[in-house]
Amino acid sequence: MNERESRWALPDLQSAVDWCSRRNAQNIRCIIDVLGEYAREESQAAGSVELYLAAAKSIADNGLDASLTVKLSALGALFDQDRCRQNVQTVAREAARRGVGFEIDMEGLGLVTYTIDVAAACAKKGRVSLALQAYLDRSTDDVLRASESGIIVRIVKGAYVGSTRDFADIQKRFKQLSKIPCAKESFFTVGTHDPDLIEWMTTKMEGKRDLIEFGFLRGLADRTKVAMAQEGWLVSEYVPFGENRTAYEARRRKYLKELESLGHTSAR
C-alpha cells in the first residue's frame, strides 16, 4: 500500500482499475465509486459527473467485470434536485452506452424518497441497482416499491442515522427484507460483513445461488469474500477512489468501533 492509499479507498482511477483487475482474477466483481459526496455548488457536481464518466469509460476500455455507483449528494441533490436528476441521467446513459452496470448508493434519511424516485426513473430506461437500508422503518415498503419499479435491490444494514440502533433488531430487519425478493424469485444483492447474516443467507440461498450476490467493502472480510468466490457464490467488492475520503472513512471507523463496543466482529 502506498502512502496515498488507505485500507478503505484508493487514490485515483488508475489504482481502482488495477485493483479491480486483480479482484476479477479472483472471480470477484467490483463496484467502483468516486468519492465526492456533499457537493454544495454546481462546479463540484459537474466535476463529479466528469469523474463518473471517466470511470465508466475506464471500466469499459479495460473490459472489467465492474459497475459504477453514484451518490446523489455528489451530483447536486443538496442544492438543485432537478440538476441532480439531469446529472444522474447523463451518467446512467453513458454507462448504458458502454455496457457498464449502473448503481445508486443510499445516503441519509432526508434523501431516501428522492433517491428512490430517481432510481425508478432510471429503471424505466435501463438496469439499475439501489441500496436500501435495513435500519429504517420504511424499508419494507421501499423494497416492495423498488422491486415493482424494476430496480435491483441491494439490502444493507445502513451507515447513517436510522430508525433503530439495536444490533439484533437490525439483523432481524435485514432478514425480513431479504425474504421479499426471495419470495418473488428476483435477483438481489446484500451488503454485509456480519458473519451471522452471511451464514444465514448462504444457508437460505444454497439452492438459489444465481439469485443473490454478496457485496463487501474494500478493507473488510477479505478472506471471506475470496473464499465465497472460490466456492461459487456471486461476490462483489465496493471500491471507492479519490482524495475526498474523510466522510466515507469516518463511517467505516465508526462501524468498527460500534461493533467492538457490542462485542461483535466483522467477518474476516
Side-chain angles (χ1 to χ4, degrees):
M1 183 180 299
N2 67 46
E3 61 182 12
R4 296 177 63 216
E5 292 181 8
S6 75
R7 173 180 181 178
W8 309 111
L10 294 164
D12 52 43
L13 177 56
Q14 187 57 55
S15 299
V17 167
D18 293 343
W19 179 263
C20 183
S21 180
R22 293 196 293 272
R23 282 305 196 202
N24 285 176
Q26 297 172 309
N27 293 321
I28 296 173
R29 189 179 75 85
C30 289
I31 304 169
I32 294 181
D33 172 42
V34 181
L35 292 173
E37 55 197 291
Y38 309 134
R40 297 291 180 180
E41 57 186 38
E42 177 57 35
S43 61
Q44 291 176 306
S48 291
V49 170
E50 292 306 312
L51 288 170
Y52 284 130
L53 296 179
K57 181 178 185 300
S58 289
I59 290 169
D61 288 351
N62 288 277
L64 298 176
D65 183 9
S67 57
L68 177 68
T69 191
V70 302
K71 283 186 172 65
L72 300 194
S73 69
L75 293 172
L78 299 181
F79 65 88
D80 187 337
Q81 294 193 343
D82 288 336
R83 171 60 65 181
C84 178
R85 286 177 186 269
Q86 295 173 22
N87 288 338
V88 173
Q89 290 168 1
T90 295
V91 177
R93 282 195 302 269
E94 182 64 8
R97 187 180 75 81
R98 294 185 179 276
V100 173
F102 183 70
E103 308 193 21
I104 299 177
D105 285 338
M106 187 59 75
E107 301 179 76
L109 181 58
L111 285 174
V112 173
T113 297
Y114 174 71
T115 301
I116 295 171
D117 289 344
V118 171
C122 290
K124 292 178 181 178
K125 300 179 180 180
R127 186 179 171 98
V128 60
S129 174
L130 173 68
L132 293 171
Q133 302 155 324
Y135 66 6
L136 295 179
D137 291 342
R138 58 176 290 167
S139 288
T140 296
D141 290 338
D142 290 341
V143 169
L144 288 169
R145 181 192 169 191
S147 299
E148 291 167 358
S149 299
I151 296 167
I152 299 170
V153 172
R154 173 158 41 106
I155 298 170
V156 300
K157 284 186 173 181
Y160 296 82
V161 178
S163 307
T164 178
R165 297 182 63 184
D166 183 84
F167 187 86
D169 186 31
I170 295 172
Q171 285 183 316
K172 180 181 178 181
R173 291 167 181 242
F174 188 102
K175 292 177 181 179
Q176 290 172 336
L177 292 179
S178 299
K179 291 176 182 178
I180 297 173
C182 283
K184 294 177 176 291
E185 296 285 314
S186 300
F187 179 79
F188 69 108
T189 74
V190 294
T192 182
H193 307 91
D194 184 333
D196 293 333
L197 286 178
I198 293 170
E199 181 179 5
W200 182 84
M201 289 300 308
T202 53
T203 300
K204 183 175 181 59
M205 301 300 293
E206 177 57 47
K208 301 179 180 180
R209 293 190 180 205
D210 59 330
L211 291 181
I212 186 170
E213 178 184 85
F214 288 85
F216 299 90
L217 299 176
R218 170 183 159 85
L220 283 174
D222 284 337
R223 284 183 290 180
T224 298
K225 69 184 70 161
V226 171
M228 289 183 68
Q230 291 174 342
E231 292 166 5
W233 292 99
L234 298 177
V235 175
S236 64
E237 183 178 73
Y238 189 92
V239 181
F241 75 89
E243 300 294 343
N244 188 10
R245 62 182 67 166
T246 302
Y248 177 80
E249 293 187 349
R251 291 194 294 273
R252 306 289 78 79
R253 290 190 293 269
K254 179 174 179 283
Y255 165 72
L256 291 180
K257 186 175 181 179
E258 289 177 347
L259 274 186
E260 183 179 3
S261 71
L262 294 168
H264 293 280
T265 61
S266 168
R268 302 298 185 185

